[in-house]
Amino acid sequence: MAEAKVKQTLLTEGIMAIGTIKSADDLTAHIKRNGIVRAQIGYTDHTGQLRGKIISTEKLLGGLKKGVAMTRNLAAVDFGDIIFSIEGLTLNGGGFGDSLARIVPESCREIPWEPAESNLFLLIEHCDEAAAYDARVLASRMVEKANAMGFRPYFSCEFEFRVFNETSKSAHEKDFTGLELATPESNYLGVLRQSVWSEFFNNLINDMEHIGIPIEVAHWELAPGFAELVMQYGEGMRAADNAVLFKTFAKASAQRRNMLLSFMARYDANSDGSSCHMHTSLCDMDGNPVFYDPEAEDTISEVMRLFIGGMQRYVPECILMMAPNINSYKRYLPGLFAPVAATWGIDNRTSGFRAIVGQASAQRLENRAPGADVNPYLAFAAMLGAGLRGIEEKIKPTQKSETNLYAEMDSIPKALRFPETLKDAISLFKASSFAKETFGEEFVRIFSDNREAHLADFNSAVTDWERRRYLELT
């Protein structure tokens, strides 16, 4: 017991030391004090994947002063390293060149399975013209806007995912069909299943917390092999970084134990999709909650009402930043615990935005639109950008929804409805003056072109459904 306690104390002290790194000087001192010889750096592409390199600390320390090279063409890359043709990146002026990126010292984390001399991981972001379409930079700008308006944004994610008794190798060998789920049937919140799988959950949670991603809740969800982890609330970019890092390192943690963990939005047509419910609130610059007003109806302050109004007005036209893939739109069906419109209600899980009210420190807005396949930086930026615009423009929300909206689809105004397909989402986003003004015309162009190429790639594919339907009988 004494030995275990010492190990835990050392682990806690190590994580606390990493958490105090706020500057290049802090990082340099930590590297020298702990004899670090190598580190990993990672850039987040538009799909939300981390892409990076293992570098020597000599190069890392040099990069803290001068920046490091990172190709800007990752904004033209899809899952599986499919490279799309995008003007200025891979076409007409795009020569697959490098762009300058800065190392973000305060993003420093320790990877639990790496040896002590090479366990550091740091995020990087573009700092030249490529910053215009860098996902992390986009999120940072929305945080800066909030600060300029006198607000500190807070943020958390609930990630749902599928767990398979497969390895990456076995899944590829099976061509991703007939995969074995971790549990044979649904057992929502079942203590029996959670007890049987306690080692899996504890290993995953311990790995995440070692990386500096505190986990508040873990449980089995409402389908076979379907689980959820809820991240602890955090401020600004630290919380957004946590969400991005969680997706990569949770998958790595599972694969290192011969399991496969997937954030695909809807894995199977016979069950619900996987969501990324995003919770957000605002405080003033002194840290006092501004979404709560004990004298207001439902304790919802005027700031929170206007934030909801902005979300209702602008999220439908930038839903592409929350639902970026073909598969994303397989979630948006009535009855699947996923929203179909930018409606809002008090603790109403059929609405797009769920207000959780009654206590100043916990009052917040849950955005139920993003799927688990989302790039958290982009969804966070879209949510914060829309809400802040609502405050600026004093946009009043609609009446709250108090009934099951899936049973009242015809009554939902068209302006609030989410697009039903990726094609429609791209069209709305490209035409959105709000998106261009808030996120920049260059980002809107490049991200739209990327997603149009993703759609064209899918449209040219011949699917198993087509073979089953047509091969014999046509």
Side-chain angles (χ1 to χ4, degrees), residues 27-210:
L27 179 59
T28 300
H30 179 85
I31 287 171
K32 292 180 177 178
R33 182 170 61 247
N34 292 279
I36 307 296
V37 297
R38 286 181 302 279
Q40 293 186 64
I41 55 173
Y43 167 81
T44 311
D45 71 12
H46 281 178
T47 69
Q49 292 184 97
L50 284 175
R51 299 176 181 268
K53 310 170 184 178
I54 300 170
I55 63 174
S56 67
T57 50
E58 182 181 5
K59 188 171 182 65
L60 176 65
L61 294 174
L64 285 171
K65 298 176 181 178
K66 301 177 182 178
V68 294
M70 176 55 68
T71 176
R72 59 196 179 93
N73 301 95
L74 289 174
V77 177
D78 200 14
F79 296 106
D81 289 352
I82 306 301
I83 300 175
F84 296 138
S85 296
I86 295 181
E87 190 77 22
L89 291 180
T90 52
L91 284 177
N92 301 329
F96 295 90
D98 284 336
S99 181
L100 189 66
R102 80 174 188 97
I103 297 168
V104 184
E106 64 271 23
S107 73
C108 185
R109 313 295 175 105
E110 284 186 347
I111 307 305
W113 46 80
E114 297 290 347
E117 72 274 9
S118 57
N119 64 356
L120 296 190
F121 182 92
L122 294 107
L123 292 162
I124 62 173
E125 61 182 25
H126 288 301
C127 56
D128 56 12
E129 69 277 1
Y133 45 85
D134 184 305
R136 190 180 190 279
V137 172
L138 213 64
S140 298
R141 288 174 179 168
M142 292 304 101
V143 172
E144 290 168 3
K145 178 177 179 178
N147 294 161
M149 292 173 65
F151 301 121
R152 292 164 59 183
Y154 285 77
F155 173 64
S156 177
C157 286
E158 301 174 5
F159 274 109
E160 297 173 340
F161 49 89
R162 287 322 199 275
V163 184
F164 296 91
N165 283 326
E166 303 283 352
T167 65
S168 176
K169 184 174 184 291
S170 71
H172 279 85
E173 288 172 345
K174 293 180 178 181
D175 199 23
F176 294 92
T177 60
L179 302 183
E180 180 186 340
L181 286 159
T183 61
E185 73 286 309
S186 179
N187 192 221
Y188 178 55
L189 300 177
V191 172
L192 171 62
R193 287 276 180 258
Q194 284 160 202
S195 295
V196 171
W197 283 86
S198 64
E199 185 177 359
F200 170 79
F201 279 118
N202 285 326
N203 284 333
L204 181 56
I205 292 168
N206 288 340
D207 282 347
M208 294 306 99
E209 293 190 337
H210 191 123

Side-chain angles (χ1 to χ4, degrees), residues 391-410:
I391 295 170
E392 288 178 320
E393 297 180 350
K394 302 188 183 307
I395 300 172
K396 299 291 185 181
T398 63
Q399 289 296 313
K400 63 188 176 187
S401 301
E402 299 183 277
T403 58
N404 185 338
L405 290 166
Y406 298 141
E408 302 176 5
M409 296 286 290
D410 293 341

